[in-house]
Amino acid sequence: MPAVYNIQLSKDDVMQETHRCVSLCDPGVHAFLLIIPEGRLTDKDKGEMEKIHRIFGSRFTDHTIVQISQHSQNTQLDEAVKTVIEDFGKRHLFFNYSSQVPELIEHVEELLTENRCSQYTTHMYLGAQIEIQQKYEREVAQLKQKMSELTGKYLPKTLRIVLLGKTGVGKSATGNTILGQENLFKEEIFGESVTTVCQKEAAEISERHITVIDTRGLFDASTSDINTRNEIIKSITMATPGPHVFLLVVPIGRQNQDVNEILKMIQNIFGEESRRYTIVLFSRGDDLRKNTIEQFIENSGQNIKDLIRSCGNRYHVFNNRNPEDRTQVTDLLEKIDSMLTVSGGSFYTNEMFQQIEKDLQEEQKRILKEREEEIEREKERLKAKENKATQIMLENVNKQRQQQKLWYQRRILKQNVQPELDEVLKEGGSSPGETVKIIHEV
């Protein structure tokens, strides 16, 4: 039989294959050989056994022999393996060589004797499936009962929804689908943004007042980030006393490499606390074709998986081209209610936003102060550099002045002394010593 745990087969494929295996042994299976390694059991080994046991039901144990694949002479068993052997009535054998086949047949015959030759039949298999279904239905009923009790305690009669996302992802179409009316929100044309200001619409759905607020697209190239931010901030005021949920709209089939940047921008505006109230809503669900949303997520890049995980693994999918399908809206409202139940019916309040604004202003002041201090330090550095350059320049000027003064003095000296010297030398009446004396006096 193929492996049933952590494989590519779908749940339906697994059930078909396991049923086929039992049918091939018609009128019934004499023995199941549960083959496990002799060493330490991995989580995959344990998962495989648990799933097999769940599929075949409680009668599976009575018809099973544990076969331990032996690759060495060491017969020291792991504690988990010992537990498995105990669970199957201590029926086990070590198996490695084909010569052990007679020994294996003996174990099967002992099992048949123990079971009085009874076999595991397709009727038992189907009974196990019915047992699983009944157990599942009981668990679902209990959960619904608990949800119903919690719903009456926490869930509000009014629900306030804010749509967020990039330009052209289908926010307006999503708003129309939720409220069940066409053209309440103007939908984008050829991927261009139509929503330039926040728009608020409401409708009665299942005896609840649902308010939806559509916002301007994030990263809209036609407007500045400041204007976009201011418009999105308006959504908090329009959803007073605060939105119950932010729906982050992301389209199916489009490259979503920047989804984390979108979430970061939302957190910068609304704070980390907003993630507790955020659900990722995939639009254009018709592009999934025959695939499920889970298959799309599994085959998507890490960015999509990180986005969903950061939003508490909450996600939903809409086909806005089929707004008549109200089950997608009902399912979304149930997921929102589940989120509200976990949070005790709380919502994103104006106080939370005001605290974010206060923190943002404090951060801006801190950054401004640091910049001012950096500017002052730069001024001081430039001033010191300028003073040093000025000092060097003054020293050079003074040096040049001294050189000019010396040159001028030498020139004057030459002008005054030269005639006298020429006269003395002409007369020839003075000795060299007297000539020096005359120059000195001059």
Side-chain angles (χ1 to χ4, degrees), residues 198-422:
C198 288
Q199 182 181 349
K200 177 180 178 180
E201 301 292 344
E204 296 293 327
I205 301 176
S206 302
E207 299 183 353
R208 296 175 72 181
H209 185 75
I210 309 297
T211 298
V212 176
I213 298 162
D214 190 13
T215 62
R216 166 177 273 173
L218 300 173
F219 304 116
D220 190 341
S222 64
T223 185
S224 66
D225 290 344
I226 295 177
N227 290 336
T228 299
R229 185 177 187 278
N230 290 337
E231 276 301 318
I232 292 177
I233 288 173
K234 281 185 183 180
S235 64
I236 299 297
T237 304
M238 298 174 75
T240 301
H244 291 97
V245 60
F246 296 101
L247 292 183
L248 179 53
V249 183
V250 177
I252 293 287
R254 178 186 287 188
Q255 294 295 325
N256 292 298
Q257 300 302 319
D258 53 358
V259 289
N260 289 331
E261 289 299 321
I262 296 173
L263 182 63
K264 185 178 179 180
M265 185 175 183
I266 293 172
Q267 290 172 359
N268 289 338
I269 296 174
F270 298 113
E272 289 282 339
E273 190 71 10
S274 64
R275 293 195 301 180
R276 291 180 52 204
Y277 304 93
T278 302
I279 295 176
V280 179
L281 190 142
F282 292 99
S283 61
R284 304 178 186 174
D286 51 303
D287 288 344
L288 287 171
R289 300 182 185 278
K290 294 183 179 181
N291 295 320
T292 65
I293 184 61
E294 286 75 22
Q295 289 172 327
F296 167 76
I297 294 171
E298 182 63 29
N299 295 324
S300 297
Q302 191 61 39
N303 285 346
I304 289 291
K305 296 174 184 177
D306 291 342
L307 174 66
I308 294 174
R309 184 164 50 251
S310 65
C311 296
N313 293 315
R314 294 182 295 270
Y315 63 89
H316 191 59
V317 62
F318 258 21
N319 178 5
N320 291 318
R321 293 181 180 176
N322 185 22
E324 294 80 13
D325 179 13
R326 301 304 295 168
T327 58
Q328 58 185 339
V329 177
T330 303
D331 292 344
L332 172 63
L333 296 180
E334 287 181 357
K335 290 180 180 181
I336 294 174
D337 289 343
S338 298
M339 182 187 72
L340 293 176
T341 300
V342 173
S343 64
S346 65
F347 52 85
Y348 184 87
T349 64
N350 287 334
E351 288 75 15
M352 292 177 185
F353 177 70
Q354 290 168 1
Q355 183 61 45
I356 295 300
E357 287 289 284
K358 182 179 178 181
D359 294 342
L360 181 60
Q361 290 174 3
E362 292 294 328
E363 180 66 12
Q364 290 174 340
K365 288 179 181 178
R366 183 187 66 79
I367 293 174
L368 182 60
K369 184 178 179 181
E370 288 181 354
R371 288 181 178 176
E372 290 175 348
E373 292 174 351
E374 180 64 26
I375 290 172
E376 287 299 321
R377 287 193 294 268
E378 184 65 15
K379 284 182 178 180
E380 291 295 329
R381 188 182 67 81
L382 292 175
K383 185 176 180 181
K385 185 177 180 180
E386 182 180 352
N387 290 340
K388 186 176 181 180
T390 302
Q391 182 180 357
I392 293 173
M393 183 181 68
L394 290 175
E395 290 176 355
N396 290 334
V397 170
N398 290 333
K399 187 176 180 180
Q400 290 176 1
R401 286 178 178 175
Q402 291 293 334
Q403 290 175 348
Q404 291 175 353
K405 183 177 180 182
L406 180 60
W407 176 84
Y408 181 73
Q409 289 174 346
R410 287 175 178 173
R411 184 177 179 184
I412 295 299
L413 177 62
K414 183 177 180 181
Q415 289 175 351
N416 293 335
V417 172
Q418 192 65 42
E420 296 274 349
L421 181 59
D422 291 343

Side-chain angles (χ1 to χ4, degrees), residues 64-232:
T64 302
I65 298 172
V66 178
Q67 180 178 308
I68 304 169
S69 299
Q70 189 178 26
H71 300 288
S72 65
Q73 298 300 318
N74 181 21
T75 57
Q76 187 67 28
L77 296 178
D78 181 70
E79 289 300 322
V81 175
K82 292 180 181 178
T83 301
V84 172
I85 293 173
E86 289 288 334
D87 292 341
F88 287 93
K90 299 182 179 181
R91 295 184 298 273
H92 72 285
L93 79 154
F94 294 93
F95 194 86
N96 190 20
Y97 305 105
S98 59
S99 58
Q100 292 180 267
V101 171
E103 181 183 356
L104 172 61
I105 299 300
E106 288 182 7
H107 278 75
V108 173
E109 291 175 344
E110 290 175 2
L111 176 64
L112 288 174
T113 301
E114 182 180 337
N115 290 329
R116 298 180 181 179
C117 294
S118 66
Q119 305 167 26
Y120 184 94
T121 63
T122 53
H123 179 73
M124 293 179 182
Y125 176 85
L126 295 175
Q129 305 315 304
I130 295 173
E131 184 181 333
I132 292 173
Q133 184 65 26
Q134 290 175 341
K135 181 181 179 182
Y136 172 76
E137 290 175 354
R138 287 194 299 269
E139 290 176 350
V140 169
Q142 291 173 357
L143 288 174
K144 284 185 176 180
Q145 178 64 28
K146 190 172 182 179
M147 284 291 295
S148 177
E149 294 173 357
L150 292 173
T151 298
K153 183 177 181 181
Y154 293 118
L155 299 185
K157 292 295 182 181
T158 61
L159 189 63
R160 298 177 292 276
I161 301 172
V162 172
L163 301 173
L164 299 171
K166 286 185 65 177
T167 300
V169 297
K171 297 190 301 299
S172 300
T174 296
N176 291 331
T177 300
I178 292 174
L179 298 180
Q181 301 182 45
E182 295 182 3
N183 302 323
L184 284 178
F185 300 102
K186 293 182 180 180
E187 299 181 18
E188 68 274 1
I189 303 174
F190 304 116
E192 294 184 0
S193 177
V194 174
T195 304
T196 57
V197 295
C198 288
Q199 182 181 349
K200 177 180 178 180
E201 301 292 344
E204 296 293 327
I205 301 176
S206 302
E207 299 183 353
R208 296 175 72 181
H209 185 75
I210 309 297
T211 298
V212 176
I213 298 162
D214 190 13
T215 62
R216 166 177 273 173
L218 300 173
F219 304 116
D220 190 341
S222 64
T223 185
S224 66
D225 290 344
I226 295 177
N227 290 336
T228 299
R229 185 177 187 278
N230 290 337
E231 276 301 318
I232 292 177

Side-chain angles (χ1 to χ4, degrees), residues 417-435:
V417 172
Q418 192 65 42
E420 296 274 349
L421 181 59
D422 291 343
E423 184 66 28
V424 171
L425 294 175
K426 183 179 180 183
E427 293 178 355
S430 299
S431 64
E434 289 175 339
T435 300

